[in-house]
Amino acid sequence: MRSIEYGGKLAGIAIALVYLCFFQDQPVFEWVLIGVILITVGIPHGSLDHLLQNPKISNKNLVKFIGKYLTIILVYLAVWLLVPFPALLAFLGMSAYHFGQSHFLRTPIWHLKKTTYLLTGTFYLSIIFWGDFAATTEILSGIFDASPLAGFGWYLIIGSFVSAAVLIVRNLPNKWWPHLAEMILMGYLFYQLPLLLGFILYFGFWHALPSMQVEYSALKQHLGSQQLKAFVGKMIPFTGASILGMAAILFVLYPRSSTEELILLFFVLVSLISAPHIWYMNHFLESREA
Ligand SMILES: CC1=C(/C=C/C(C)=C/C=C/C(C)=C/C=C/C=C(C)/C=C/C=C(C)/C=C/C2=C(C)CCCC2(C)C)C(C)(C)CCC1
């Protein structure tokens, strides 16, 4: 199964190189890729959260789970509506932690574990944001003017890299170098890509696919004889519900919004489903290691 993760990462690198060599400034390439990655791995990787809690969940407990999930979504929506800037900071912090966590799925760490997750995720996210800071600023302009932060990027990139590197070496004295080599090489590549392409490749192949693999390993003994088919089948209902819900909201607001506003709204919608997902996934991963 590890080969799927490596295969995904190689596919991510190949797509990035193909884009840089042949498709620069061709938005259709980017949008098709974003759509395909979101629908095939991005959204589905969160759709089994209920089974990660309890693979044999009863109908009654499923209803309770959905109730809790939707409550977190509604509370976070209220935070976005009342105080968008702190809601954005919370989203970025949660995302950095959650993305960082998925770099250590197969190499568990113990020393300042949460700080290591946060710094690793901060490094990758800041590389992606500051690699195309004009686009980042444009999308965020609906919340605040990020342009004064343009010169701050390298401090964050180098600061998060150096501090994450120290922690990774301390945590993995014999296995630190693949992590650091990946940070340097992928950091360089993501920095060259346009914002959304860099983000979707990182999200799809460095986060969602490896997470899905861990989910599959944890659930496969409960999936009967056709494990892969059952796994995919179980992802369909909540993936479908989330895609339809988000698409309906974007469709309603489409005629009166600019592309940047729609992209920002899309990320706000993703943040809403990501909040409970991050919570449940963290619980699942931490209990798995205990
Ligand atoms: C179970 C369930 C369900 C489902 C779920 C799901 C399906 C989930 C998913 C989940 C997911 C799918 C998650 C995700 C995550 C993601 C993230 C975490 C992201 C992040 C991002 C960011 C951080 C961004 C940033 C940016 C950019 C990139 C550009 C510019 C701007 C900004 C800065 C915003 C429902 C609800 C139906 C119901 C109940 C139960």
Side-chain angles (χ1 to χ4, degrees), residues 42-43 45-47 65-66 69-70 73 91-92 95 99 125 129 136 139-140 195-196 199 203 238 241-242 267 270 273-274 277-278:
I43 309 280
H45 94 279
S47 63
F65 175 89
I66 295 177
Y69 215 91
L70 295 180
I73 290 179
F91 179 41
L92 293 175
S95 303
F99 291 154
L125 282 180
F129 296 154
T136 307
I139 295 173
L140 288 178
L195 175 67
L196 295 181
F199 176 75
F203 175 60
F238 285 152
S242 306
F267 279 113
V270 167
I273 50 173
S274 76
H277 165 70
I278 291 171

PDB file of all heavy atoms in Angstrom, residues 42-43 45-47 65-66 69-70 73 91-92 95 99 125 129 136 139-140 195-196 199 203 238 241-242 267 270 273-274 277-278, ligand 1:
ATOM      1  N   GLY A  42      -9.599  14.524  -2.680  1.00  0.00           N
ATOM      2  CA  GLY A  42      -9.675  15.643  -1.731  1.00  0.00           C
ATOM      3  C   GLY A  42     -10.867  15.534  -0.795  1.00  0.00           C
ATOM      4  O   GLY A  42     -10.712  15.414   0.424  1.00  0.00           O
ATOM      5  N   ILE A  43     -12.056  15.559  -1.354  1.00  0.00           N
ATOM      6  CA  ILE A  43     -13.266  15.496  -0.506  1.00  0.00           C
ATOM      7  C   ILE A  43     -13.440  14.078   0.078  1.00  0.00           C
ATOM      8  O   ILE A  43     -13.685  13.942   1.289  1.00  0.00           O
ATOM      9  CB  ILE A  43     -14.536  15.898  -1.303  1.00  0.00           C
ATOM     10  CG1 ILE A  43     -14.348  17.236  -2.027  1.00  0.00           C
ATOM     11  CG2 ILE A  43     -15.768  15.894  -0.408  1.00  0.00           C
ATOM     12  CD1 ILE A  43     -14.510  18.465  -1.218  1.00  0.00           C
ATOM     13  N   HIS A  45     -11.465  11.932   1.200  1.00  0.00           N
ATOM     14  CA  HIS A  45     -10.614  11.494   2.314  1.00  0.00           C
ATOM     15  C   HIS A  45     -11.228  11.846   3.675  1.00  0.00           C
ATOM     16  O   HIS A  45     -10.814  11.300   4.691  1.00  0.00           O
ATOM     17  CB  HIS A  45      -9.179  12.038   2.159  1.00  0.00           C
ATOM     18  CG  HIS A  45      -8.931  13.335   2.877  1.00  0.00           C
ATOM     19  ND1 HIS A  45      -9.286  14.559   2.365  1.00  0.00           N
ATOM     20  CD2 HIS A  45      -8.358  13.598   4.076  1.00  0.00           C
ATOM     21  CE1 HIS A  45      -8.944  15.509   3.207  1.00  0.00           C
ATOM     22  NE2 HIS A  45      -8.374  14.945   4.255  1.00  0.00           N
ATOM     23  N   GLY A  46     -12.221  12.744   3.656  1.00  0.00           N
ATOM     24  CA  GLY A  46     -12.868  13.071   4.945  1.00  0.00           C
ATOM     25  C   GLY A  46     -14.193  12.360   5.143  1.00  0.00           C
ATOM     26  O   GLY A  46     -14.820  12.497   6.192  1.00  0.00           O
ATOM     27  N   SER A  47     -14.607  11.602   4.133  1.00  0.00           N
ATOM     28  CA  SER A  47     -15.990  11.114   4.165  1.00  0.00           C
ATOM     29  C   SER A  47     -16.204   9.851   4.993  1.00  0.00           C
ATOM     30  O   SER A  47     -17.319   9.367   5.107  1.00  0.00           O
ATOM     31  CB  SER A  47     -16.453  10.845   2.721  1.00  0.00           C
ATOM     32  OG  SER A  47     -15.644   9.822   2.195  1.00  0.00           O
ATOM     33  N   PHE A  65     -23.494  11.115  15.497  1.00  0.00           N
ATOM     34  CA  PHE A  65     -22.236  11.591  14.906  1.00  0.00           C
ATOM     35  C   PHE A  65     -22.510  12.738  13.931  1.00  0.00           C
ATOM     36  O   PHE A  65     -21.865  13.787  13.983  1.00  0.00           O
ATOM     37  CB  PHE A  65     -21.529  10.420  14.187  1.00  0.00           C
ATOM     38  CG  PHE A  65     -20.296  10.843  13.446  1.00  0.00           C
ATOM     39  CD1 PHE A  65     -19.060  10.861  14.081  1.00  0.00           C
ATOM     40  CD2 PHE A  65     -20.369  11.248  12.114  1.00  0.00           C
ATOM     41  CE1 PHE A  65     -17.920  11.275  13.395  1.00  0.00           C
ATOM     42  CE2 PHE A  65     -19.240  11.663  11.426  1.00  0.00           C
ATOM     43  CZ  PHE A  65     -18.008  11.677  12.069  1.00  0.00           C
ATOM     44  N   ILE A  66     -23.528  12.523  13.059  1.00  0.00           N
ATOM     45  CA  ILE A  66     -23.844  13.564  12.068  1.00  0.00           C
ATOM     46  C   ILE A  66     -24.269  14.846  12.791  1.00  0.00           C
ATOM     47  O   ILE A  66     -23.873  15.950  12.413  1.00  0.00           O
ATOM     48  CB  ILE A  66     -24.944  13.080  11.096  1.00  0.00           C
ATOM     49  CG1 ILE A  66     -24.409  11.909  10.263  1.00  0.00           C
ATOM     50  CG2 ILE A  66     -25.421  14.208  10.174  1.00  0.00           C
ATOM     51  CD1 ILE A  66     -25.411  11.275   9.305  1.00  0.00           C
ATOM     52  N   TYR A  69     -21.176  16.528  14.043  1.00  0.00           N
ATOM     53  CA  TYR A  69     -20.407  17.044  12.893  1.00  0.00           C
ATOM     54  C   TYR A  69     -21.036  18.349  12.410  1.00  0.00           C
ATOM     55  O   TYR A  69     -20.360  19.360  12.201  1.00  0.00           O
ATOM     56  CB  TYR A  69     -20.451  15.990  11.781  1.00  0.00           C
ATOM     57  CG  TYR A  69     -19.204  15.868  10.941  1.00  0.00           C
ATOM     58  CD1 TYR A  69     -18.189  14.979  11.273  1.00  0.00           C
ATOM     59  CD2 TYR A  69     -19.050  16.599   9.767  1.00  0.00           C
ATOM     60  CE1 TYR A  69     -17.055  14.822  10.476  1.00  0.00           C
ATOM     61  CE2 TYR A  69     -17.923  16.449   8.963  1.00  0.00           C
ATOM     62  CZ  TYR A  69     -16.925  15.567   9.321  1.00  0.00           C
ATOM     63  OH  TYR A  69     -15.815  15.420   8.525  1.00  0.00           O
ATOM     64  N   LEU A  70     -22.375  18.298  12.244  1.00  0.00           N
ATOM     65  CA  LEU A  70     -23.062  19.491  11.720  1.00  0.00           C
ATOM     66  C   LEU A  70     -23.025  20.635  12.736  1.00  0.00           C
ATOM     67  O   LEU A  70     -22.972  21.808  12.356  1.00  0.00           O
ATOM     68  CB  LEU A  70     -24.494  19.147  11.316  1.00  0.00           C
ATOM     69  CG  LEU A  70     -24.611  18.156  10.142  1.00  0.00           C
ATOM     70  CD1 LEU A  70     -26.064  17.867   9.804  1.00  0.00           C
ATOM     71  CD2 LEU A  70     -23.884  18.662   8.884  1.00  0.00           C
ATOM     72  N   ILE A  73     -19.805  22.350  12.328  1.00  0.00           N
ATOM     73  CA  ILE A  73     -19.864  23.149  11.094  1.00  0.00           C
ATOM     74  C   ILE A  73     -20.634  24.454  11.339  1.00  0.00           C
ATOM     75  O   ILE A  73     -20.188  25.546  10.954  1.00  0.00           O
ATOM     76  CB  ILE A  73     -20.529  22.320   9.963  1.00  0.00           C
ATOM     77  CG1 ILE A  73     -19.574  21.191   9.528  1.00  0.00           C
ATOM     78  CG2 ILE A  73     -20.919  23.199   8.773  1.00  0.00           C
ATOM     79  CD1 ILE A  73     -20.100  20.273   8.434  1.00  0.00           C
ATOM     80  N   PHE A  91      -8.415  28.811  10.693  1.00  0.00           N
ATOM     81  CA  PHE A  91      -8.388  27.856   9.574  1.00  0.00           C
ATOM     82  C   PHE A  91      -6.942  27.561   9.151  1.00  0.00           C
ATOM     83  O   PHE A  91      -6.543  26.404   8.956  1.00  0.00           O
ATOM     84  CB  PHE A  91      -9.195  28.443   8.410  1.00  0.00           C
ATOM     85  CG  PHE A  91      -9.235  27.574   7.176  1.00  0.00           C
ATOM     86  CD1 PHE A  91      -9.390  26.206   7.259  1.00  0.00           C
ATOM     87  CD2 PHE A  91      -9.134  28.152   5.909  1.00  0.00           C
ATOM     88  CE1 PHE A  91      -9.440  25.406   6.107  1.00  0.00           C
ATOM     89  CE2 PHE A  91      -9.186  27.370   4.758  1.00  0.00           C
ATOM     90  CZ  PHE A  91      -9.330  25.997   4.867  1.00  0.00           C
ATOM     91  N   LEU A  92      -6.142  28.636   9.060  1.00  0.00           N
ATOM     92  CA  LEU A  92      -4.746  28.432   8.635  1.00  0.00           C
ATOM     93  C   LEU A  92      -3.975  27.622   9.681  1.00  0.00           C
ATOM     94  O   LEU A  92      -3.209  26.717   9.342  1.00  0.00           O
ATOM     95  CB  LEU A  92      -4.068  29.790   8.389  1.00  0.00           C
ATOM     96  CG  LEU A  92      -4.637  30.572   7.193  1.00  0.00           C
ATOM     97  CD1 LEU A  92      -3.994  31.950   7.084  1.00  0.00           C
ATOM     98  CD2 LEU A  92      -4.441  29.797   5.891  1.00  0.00           C
ATOM     99  N   SER A  95      -5.172  24.024   9.587  1.00  0.00           N
ATOM    100  CA  SER A  95      -4.716  23.368   8.361  1.00  0.00           C
ATOM    101  C   SER A  95      -3.231  23.026   8.458  1.00  0.00           C
ATOM    102  O   SER A  95      -2.813  21.926   8.069  1.00  0.00           O
ATOM    103  CB  SER A  95      -4.928  24.265   7.141  1.00  0.00           C
ATOM    104  OG  SER A  95      -6.267  24.622   7.041  1.00  0.00           O
ATOM    105  N   PHE A  99      -2.102  19.277   8.050  1.00  0.00           N
ATOM    106  CA  PHE A  99      -1.231  18.885   6.938  1.00  0.00           C
ATOM    107  C   PHE A  99       0.105  18.363   7.473  1.00  0.00           C
ATOM    108  O   PHE A  99       0.647  17.381   6.971  1.00  0.00           O
ATOM    109  CB  PHE A  99      -0.994  20.058   5.975  1.00  0.00           C
ATOM    110  CG  PHE A  99      -2.223  20.455   5.197  1.00  0.00           C
ATOM    111  CD1 PHE A  99      -2.380  21.740   4.706  1.00  0.00           C
ATOM    112  CD2 PHE A  99      -3.228  19.536   4.934  1.00  0.00           C
ATOM    113  CE1 PHE A  99      -3.508  22.108   3.971  1.00  0.00           C
ATOM    114  CE2 PHE A  99      -4.354  19.892   4.203  1.00  0.00           C
ATOM    115  CZ  PHE A  99      -4.494  21.180   3.732  1.00  0.00           C
ATOM    116  N   LEU A 125       2.635  25.342   3.689  1.00  0.00           N
ATOM    117  CA  LEU A 125       1.605  26.329   3.309  1.00  0.00           C
ATOM    118  C   LEU A 125       2.237  27.664   2.947  1.00  0.00           C
ATOM    119  O   LEU A 125       1.840  28.307   1.970  1.00  0.00           O
ATOM    120  CB  LEU A 125       0.589  26.501   4.443  1.00  0.00           C
ATOM    121  CG  LEU A 125      -0.469  25.391   4.558  1.00  0.00           C
ATOM    122  CD1 LEU A 125      -1.419  25.670   5.716  1.00  0.00           C
ATOM    123  CD2 LEU A 125      -1.280  25.248   3.263  1.00  0.00           C
ATOM    124  N   PHE A 129       1.728  29.739  -0.461  1.00  0.00           N
ATOM    125  CA  PHE A 129       1.128  31.090  -0.491  1.00  0.00           C
ATOM    126  C   PHE A 129       2.098  32.124  -1.069  1.00  0.00           C
ATOM    127  O   PHE A 129       1.752  32.921  -1.921  1.00  0.00           O
ATOM    128  CB  PHE A 129       0.729  31.556   0.921  1.00  0.00           C
ATOM    129  CG  PHE A 129      -0.355  30.722   1.558  1.00  0.00           C
ATOM    130  CD1 PHE A 129      -0.463  30.621   2.941  1.00  0.00           C
ATOM    131  CD2 PHE A 129      -1.271  30.039   0.785  1.00  0.00           C
ATOM    132  CE1 PHE A 129      -1.456  29.854   3.521  1.00  0.00           C
ATOM    133  CE2 PHE A 129      -2.278  29.271   1.362  1.00  0.00           C
ATOM    134  CZ  PHE A 129      -2.357  29.177   2.733  1.00  0.00           C
ATOM    135  N   THR A 136      -2.551  35.003  -3.864  1.00  0.00           N
ATOM    136  CA  THR A 136      -3.010  34.831  -2.468  1.00  0.00           C
ATOM    137  C   THR A 136      -3.682  36.126  -1.992  1.00  0.00           C
ATOM    138  O   THR A 136      -4.773  36.114  -1.429  1.00  0.00           O
ATOM    139  CB  THR A 136      -1.799  34.492  -1.551  1.00  0.00           C
ATOM    140  OG1 THR A 136      -1.111  33.388  -2.094  1.00  0.00           O
ATOM    141  CG2 THR A 136      -2.243  34.166  -0.137  1.00  0.00           C
ATOM    142  N   ILE A 139      -7.153  36.732  -3.616  1.00  0.00           N
ATOM    143  CA  ILE A 139      -8.245  35.908  -3.070  1.00  0.00           C
ATOM    144  C   ILE A 139      -8.618  36.378  -1.669  1.00  0.00           C
ATOM    145  O   ILE A 139      -9.795  36.458  -1.318  1.00  0.00           O
ATOM    146  CB  ILE A 139      -7.834  34.416  -3.035  1.00  0.00           C
ATOM    147  CG1 ILE A 139      -7.633  33.907  -4.469  1.00  0.00           C
ATOM    148  CG2 ILE A 139      -8.887  33.568  -2.329  1.00  0.00           C
ATOM    149  CD1 ILE A 139      -7.067  32.501  -4.560  1.00  0.00           C
ATOM    150  N   LEU A 140      -7.586  36.743  -0.874  1.00  0.00           N
ATOM    151  CA  LEU A 140      -7.877  37.128   0.513  1.00  0.00           C
ATOM    152  C   LEU A 140      -8.429  38.542   0.633  1.00  0.00           C
ATOM    153  O   LEU A 140      -8.855  38.940   1.720  1.00  0.00           O
ATOM    154  CB  LEU A 140      -6.599  36.998   1.359  1.00  0.00           C
ATOM    155  CG  LEU A 140      -6.176  35.560   1.654  1.00  0.00           C
ATOM    156  CD1 LEU A 140      -4.876  35.531   2.442  1.00  0.00           C
ATOM    157  CD2 LEU A 140      -7.267  34.821   2.427  1.00  0.00           C
ATOM    158  N   LEU A 195      -0.654  29.481  -7.388  1.00  0.00           N
ATOM    159  CA  LEU A 195      -1.217  29.187  -6.058  1.00  0.00           C
ATOM    160  C   LEU A 195      -2.115  27.942  -6.018  1.00  0.00           C
ATOM    161  O   LEU A 195      -1.874  27.000  -5.266  1.00  0.00           O
ATOM    162  CB  LEU A 195      -2.002  30.419  -5.589  1.00  0.00           C
ATOM    163  CG  LEU A 195      -2.755  30.276  -4.276  1.00  0.00           C
ATOM    164  CD1 LEU A 195      -1.796  30.121  -3.116  1.00  0.00           C
ATOM    165  CD2 LEU A 195      -3.667  31.474  -4.041  1.00  0.00           C
ATOM    166  N   LEU A 196      -3.158  27.951  -6.840  1.00  0.00           N
ATOM    167  CA  LEU A 196      -4.153  26.886  -6.696  1.00  0.00           C
ATOM    168  C   LEU A 196      -3.622  25.538  -7.170  1.00  0.00           C
ATOM    169  O   LEU A 196      -3.960  24.499  -6.612  1.00  0.00           O
ATOM    170  CB  LEU A 196      -5.447  27.254  -7.429  1.00  0.00           C
ATOM    171  CG  LEU A 196      -6.163  28.461  -6.830  1.00  0.00           C
ATOM    172  CD1 LEU A 196      -7.445  28.759  -7.589  1.00  0.00           C
ATOM    173  CD2 LEU A 196      -6.470  28.290  -5.351  1.00  0.00           C
ATOM    174  N   PHE A 199      -1.347  24.317  -4.422  1.00  0.00           N
ATOM    175  CA  PHE A 199      -2.139  23.868  -3.284  1.00  0.00           C
ATOM    176  C   PHE A 199      -2.802  22.521  -3.563  1.00  0.00           C
ATOM    177  O   PHE A 199      -2.742  21.609  -2.736  1.00  0.00           O
ATOM    178  CB  PHE A 199      -3.196  24.917  -2.901  1.00  0.00           C
ATOM    179  CG  PHE A 199      -4.072  24.393  -1.794  1.00  0.00           C
ATOM    180  CD1 PHE A 199      -3.590  24.338  -0.506  1.00  0.00           C
ATOM    181  CD2 PHE A 199      -5.328  23.895  -2.072  1.00  0.00           C
ATOM    182  CE1 PHE A 199      -4.356  23.785   0.516  1.00  0.00           C
ATOM    183  CE2 PHE A 199      -6.103  23.344  -1.058  1.00  0.00           C
ATOM    184  CZ  PHE A 199      -5.617  23.300   0.245  1.00  0.00           C
ATOM    185  N   PHE A 203      -2.261  19.226  -1.495  1.00  0.00           N
ATOM    186  CA  PHE A 203      -3.419  18.721  -0.761  1.00  0.00           C
ATOM    187  C   PHE A 203      -3.770  17.291  -1.204  1.00  0.00           C
ATOM    188  O   PHE A 203      -3.998  16.408  -0.379  1.00  0.00           O
ATOM    189  CB  PHE A 203      -4.601  19.677  -1.004  1.00  0.00           C
ATOM    190  CG  PHE A 203      -5.893  19.216  -0.391  1.00  0.00           C
ATOM    191  CD1 PHE A 203      -5.996  19.017   0.974  1.00  0.00           C
ATOM    192  CD2 PHE A 203      -7.018  19.002  -1.182  1.00  0.00           C
ATOM    193  CE1 PHE A 203      -7.180  18.593   1.540  1.00  0.00           C
ATOM    194  CE2 PHE A 203      -8.212  18.584  -0.621  1.00  0.00           C
ATOM    195  CZ  PHE A 203      -8.294  18.374   0.741  1.00  0.00           C
ATOM    196  N   PHE A 238     -21.289  10.447   1.729  1.00  0.00           N
ATOM    197  CA  PHE A 238     -20.951  11.743   2.336  1.00  0.00           C
ATOM    198  C   PHE A 238     -20.114  12.614   1.390  1.00  0.00           C
ATOM    199  O   PHE A 238     -20.161  13.842   1.455  1.00  0.00           O
ATOM    200  CB  PHE A 238     -20.231  11.554   3.672  1.00  0.00           C
ATOM    201  CG  PHE A 238     -21.163  11.130   4.777  1.00  0.00           C
ATOM    202  CD1 PHE A 238     -20.717  10.373   5.847  1.00  0.00           C
ATOM    203  CD2 PHE A 238     -22.502  11.492   4.754  1.00  0.00           C
ATOM    204  CE1 PHE A 238     -21.574   9.986   6.867  1.00  0.00           C
ATOM    205  CE2 PHE A 238     -23.379  11.108   5.767  1.00  0.00           C
ATOM    206  CZ  PHE A 238     -22.911  10.352   6.819  1.00  0.00           C
ATOM    207  N   ALA A 241     -22.811  14.107  -0.762  1.00  0.00           N
ATOM    208  CA  ALA A 241     -23.575  15.137  -0.029  1.00  0.00           C
ATOM    209  C   ALA A 241     -22.752  16.419   0.065  1.00  0.00           C
ATOM    210  O   ALA A 241     -23.275  17.532  -0.146  1.00  0.00           O
ATOM    211  CB  ALA A 241     -23.932  14.616   1.358  1.00  0.00           C
ATOM    212  N   SER A 242     -21.453  16.288   0.376  1.00  0.00           N
ATOM    213  CA  SER A 242     -20.622  17.495   0.548  1.00  0.00           C
ATOM    214  C   SER A 242     -20.456  18.232  -0.778  1.00  0.00           C
ATOM    215  O   SER A 242     -20.565  19.462  -0.829  1.00  0.00           O
ATOM    216  CB  SER A 242     -19.225  17.124   1.064  1.00  0.00           C
ATOM    217  OG  SER A 242     -19.344  16.361   2.205  1.00  0.00           O
ATOM    218  N   PHE A 267     -13.108  28.131  -0.289  1.00  0.00           N
ATOM    219  CA  PHE A 267     -12.234  27.749   0.822  1.00  0.00           C
ATOM    220  C   PHE A 267     -12.953  27.870   2.169  1.00  0.00           C
ATOM    221  O   PHE A 267     -12.695  27.092   3.086  1.00  0.00           O
ATOM    222  CB  PHE A 267     -10.942  28.571   0.814  1.00  0.00           C
ATOM    223  CG  PHE A 267      -9.938  28.030  -0.171  1.00  0.00           C
ATOM    224  CD1 PHE A 267      -9.568  28.750  -1.296  1.00  0.00           C
ATOM    225  CD2 PHE A 267      -9.386  26.768   0.011  1.00  0.00           C
ATOM    226  CE1 PHE A 267      -8.657  28.234  -2.213  1.00  0.00           C
ATOM    227  CE2 PHE A 267      -8.480  26.238  -0.898  1.00  0.00           C
ATOM    228  CZ  PHE A 267      -8.115  26.968  -2.012  1.00  0.00           C
ATOM    229  N   VAL A 270     -14.868  24.752   2.381  1.00  0.00           N
ATOM    230  CA  VAL A 270     -13.961  23.637   2.718  1.00  0.00           C
ATOM    231  C   VAL A 270     -13.580  23.702   4.198  1.00  0.00           C
ATOM    232  O   VAL A 270     -13.524  22.684   4.891  1.00  0.00           O
ATOM    233  CB  VAL A 270     -12.701  23.664   1.832  1.00  0.00           C
ATOM    234  CG1 VAL A 270     -11.622  22.730   2.367  1.00  0.00           C
ATOM    235  CG2 VAL A 270     -13.044  23.268   0.410  1.00  0.00           C
ATOM    236  N   ILE A 273     -16.209  22.021   6.448  1.00  0.00           N
ATOM    237  CA  ILE A 273     -16.174  20.558   6.614  1.00  0.00           C
ATOM    238  C   ILE A 273     -14.826  20.095   7.159  1.00  0.00           C
ATOM    239  O   ILE A 273     -14.720  19.019   7.733  1.00  0.00           O
ATOM    240  CB  ILE A 273     -16.538  19.750   5.328  1.00  0.00           C
ATOM    241  CG1 ILE A 273     -15.774  20.215   4.110  1.00  0.00           C
ATOM    242  CG2 ILE A 273     -18.012  19.700   5.082  1.00  0.00           C
ATOM    243  CD1 ILE A 273     -16.001  19.303   2.899  1.00  0.00           C
ATOM    244  N   SER A 274     -13.802  20.945   6.975  1.00  0.00           N
ATOM    245  CA  SER A 274     -12.502  20.483   7.459  1.00  0.00           C
ATOM    246  C   SER A 274     -12.413  20.585   8.990  1.00  0.00           C
ATOM    247  O   SER A 274     -11.688  19.807   9.602  1.00  0.00           O
ATOM    248  CB  SER A 274     -11.354  21.230   6.780  1.00  0.00           C
ATOM    249  OG  SER A 274     -11.224  22.509   7.292  1.00  0.00           O
ATOM    250  N   HIS A 277     -13.577  17.421  10.523  1.00  0.00           N
ATOM    251  CA  HIS A 277     -12.698  16.365   9.994  1.00  0.00           C
ATOM    252  C   HIS A 277     -11.349  16.383  10.717  1.00  0.00           C
ATOM    253  O   HIS A 277     -10.834  15.333  11.118  1.00  0.00           O
ATOM    254  CB  HIS A 277     -12.512  16.573   8.484  1.00  0.00           C
ATOM    255  CG  HIS A 277     -11.369  15.799   7.921  1.00  0.00           C
ATOM    256  ND1 HIS A 277     -11.386  14.424   7.798  1.00  0.00           N
ATOM    257  CD2 HIS A 277     -10.140  16.195   7.473  1.00  0.00           C
ATOM    258  CE1 HIS A 277     -10.229  14.015   7.293  1.00  0.00           C
ATOM    259  NE2 HIS A 277      -9.462  15.065   7.084  1.00  0.00           N
ATOM    260  N   ILE A 278     -10.782  17.579  10.890  1.00  0.00           N
ATOM    261  CA  ILE A 278      -9.467  17.691  11.539  1.00  0.00           C
ATOM    262  C   ILE A 278      -9.552  17.154  12.974  1.00  0.00           C
ATOM    263  O   ILE A 278      -8.688  16.426  13.453  1.00  0.00           O
ATOM    264  CB  ILE A 278      -8.979  19.162  11.506  1.00  0.00           C
ATOM    265  CG1 ILE A 278      -8.639  19.544  10.055  1.00  0.00           C
ATOM    266  CG2 ILE A 278      -7.781  19.383  12.418  1.00  0.00           C
ATOM    267  CD1 ILE A 278      -8.352  21.011   9.818  1.00  0.00           C
TER     268      ILE A 278
HETATM  269  C1  LIG B   1     -18.631  12.666   7.486  1.00  0.00           C
HETATM  270  C2  LIG B   1     -19.801  13.605   7.305  1.00  0.00           C
HETATM  271  C3  LIG B   1     -19.922  14.464   6.252  1.00  0.00           C
HETATM  272  C4  LIG B   1     -18.868  14.575   5.238  1.00  0.00           C
HETATM  273  C5  LIG B   1     -17.640  15.001   5.515  1.00  0.00           C
HETATM  274  C6  LIG B   1     -16.604  15.199   4.540  1.00  0.00           C
HETATM  275  C7  LIG B   1     -16.774  14.813   3.140  1.00  0.00           C
HETATM  276  C8  LIG B   1     -15.468  15.790   4.999  1.00  0.00           C
HETATM  277  C9  LIG B   1     -14.406  16.236   4.150  1.00  0.00           C
HETATM  278  C10 LIG B   1     -13.361  16.902   4.690  1.00  0.00           C
HETATM  279  C11 LIG B   1     -12.355  17.563   3.889  1.00  0.00           C
HETATM  280  C12 LIG B   1     -12.442  17.549   2.417  1.00  0.00           C
HETATM  281  C13 LIG B   1     -11.381  18.232   4.544  1.00  0.00           C
HETATM  282  C14 LIG B   1     -10.459  19.086   3.840  1.00  0.00           C
HETATM  283  C15 LIG B   1      -9.518  19.787   4.485  1.00  0.00           C
HETATM  284  C16 LIG B   1      -8.903  20.833   3.737  1.00  0.00           C
HETATM  285  C17 LIG B   1      -8.106  21.788   4.270  1.00  0.00           C
HETATM  286  C18 LIG B   1      -7.615  21.726   5.669  1.00  0.00           C
HETATM  287  C19 LIG B   1      -7.758  22.880   3.387  1.00  0.00           C
HETATM  288  C20 LIG B   1      -7.005  23.941   3.736  1.00  0.00           C
HETATM  289  C21 LIG B   1      -6.872  25.014   2.783  1.00  0.00           C
HETATM  290  C22 LIG B   1      -6.200  26.175   3.001  1.00  0.00           C
HETATM  291  C23 LIG B   1      -5.426  26.461   4.222  1.00  0.00           C
HETATM  292  C24 LIG B   1      -6.306  27.170   1.952  1.00  0.00           C
HETATM  293  C25 LIG B   1      -5.709  28.333   1.978  1.00  0.00           C
HETATM  294  C26 LIG B   1      -5.853  29.351   0.911  1.00  0.00           C
HETATM  295  C27 LIG B   1      -5.491  29.128  -0.380  1.00  0.00           C
HETATM  296  C28 LIG B   1      -4.925  27.831  -0.868  1.00  0.00           C
HETATM  297  C29 LIG B   1      -5.610  30.162  -1.452  1.00  0.00           C
HETATM  298  C30 LIG B   1      -5.633  31.540  -0.887  1.00  0.00           C
HETATM  299  C31 LIG B   1      -6.604  31.668   0.184  1.00  0.00           C
HETATM  300  C32 LIG B   1      -6.402  30.695   1.351  1.00  0.00           C
HETATM  301  C33 LIG B   1      -5.432  31.303   2.364  1.00  0.00           C
HETATM  302  C34 LIG B   1      -7.755  30.489   2.001  1.00  0.00           C
HETATM  303  C35 LIG B   1     -21.136  15.378   6.077  1.00  0.00           C
HETATM  304  C36 LIG B   1     -20.689  16.836   6.279  1.00  0.00           C
HETATM  305  C37 LIG B   1     -21.677  15.197   4.676  1.00  0.00           C
HETATM  306  C38 LIG B   1     -22.282  15.023   7.042  1.00  0.00           C
HETATM  307  C39 LIG B   1     -21.826  14.602   8.369  1.00  0.00           C
HETATM  308  C40 LIG B   1     -20.852  13.484   8.378  1.00  0.00           C
END
